[in-house]
Amino acid sequence: MNGTLNKVILIGHLGDEVKMHYFEGGNCIGRFPLATNEIYINKQTNEKIASTEWHNLVVRNKAAEICEKYLSKGDKIYVEGRIKSRQWQTDEGVTKYTTEIQVTEFTFLTTKKDIDGGKQGSSVDVKTANFDSNSTAEDNIQY
């Protein structure tokens, strides 16, 4: 295989609300943390150990607006995307680094709106979306 692959698949819970950032020209991004959990038994002590890993997710444009509208802290979501590392300079001249998941596809698994409404499954019209750079967001929304 000559090519390479940068693909991430995560299922987890939102650690906070989606934070939106708007730019000139109408583009926007949404950012939110996603928690994934691992639970295992320590064989020596028979103790149950829970470990949480936090991931910084970034969604763009229409996908960001959909996530902001339907997702809340604690909601469970399936995401696919790419790992992207970046760096920047603070106002004090300090170089900062971060690693993010650039989301390309997502599926809402549970939302607070579903639970509060007493429904299992999704009552949200827009549940699954694939946001590929070769097509428009509206073309990729699956109902």
Side-chain angles (χ1 to χ4, degrees):
M1 181 169 143
N2 293 340
T4 62
L5 178 65
N6 180 353
K7 183 168 185 163
V8 176
I9 298 174
L10 298 169
I11 297 175
H13 294 274
L14 271 70
D16 200 356
E17 303 299 319
V18 177
K19 304 279 194 279
M20 296 294 290
H21 305 278
Y22 296 90
F23 304 101
E24 291 181 22
N27 291 329
C28 63
I29 61 171
R31 297 179 184 277
F32 58 92
L34 187 78
T36 56
N37 301 308
E38 177 184 8
I39 299 174
Y40 60 94
I41 304 291
N42 181 324
K43 291 183 180 180
Q44 295 175 350
T45 64
N46 239 6
E47 179 184 6
K48 186 186 273 190
I49 309 286
S51 174
T52 301
E53 187 71 32
W54 289 95
H55 312 275
N56 297 315
L57 274 60
V58 177
V59 288
R60 298 186 180 283
N61 300 320
K62 186 67 173 175
E65 292 170 353
I66 291 168
C67 287
E68 179 190 36
K69 182 174 181 179
Y70 293 108
L71 293 175
S72 300
K73 181 178 179 178
D75 290 345
K76 191 172 187 180
I77 186 172
Y78 167 95
V79 298
E80 291 184 24
R82 295 180 287 278
I83 296 174
K84 178 76 173 175
S85 297
R86 61 185 179 87
Q87 67 182 38
W88 70 97
Q89 294 275 336
T90 66
D91 293 337
E92 294 81 27
V94 177
T95 301
K96 298 278 189 165
Y97 300 89
T98 190
T99 300
E100 301 169 325
I101 307 302
Q102 304 263 324
V103 176
T104 56
E105 188 170 333
F106 58 84
T107 301
F108 301 161
L109 300 177
T110 62
T111 63
K112 289 216 167 132
K113 293 172 181 67
D114 292 337
I115 295 167
D116 292 344
K119 299 177 184 173
Q120 293 294 353
S122 179
S123 62
V124 177
D125 290 336
V126 182
K127 184 175 180 182
T128 302
N130 177 343
F131 294 91
D132 192 330
S133 59
N134 295 331
S135 57
T136 65
E138 290 81 5
D139 294 338
N140 290 315
I141 297 174
Q142 300 171 9
Y143 294 93

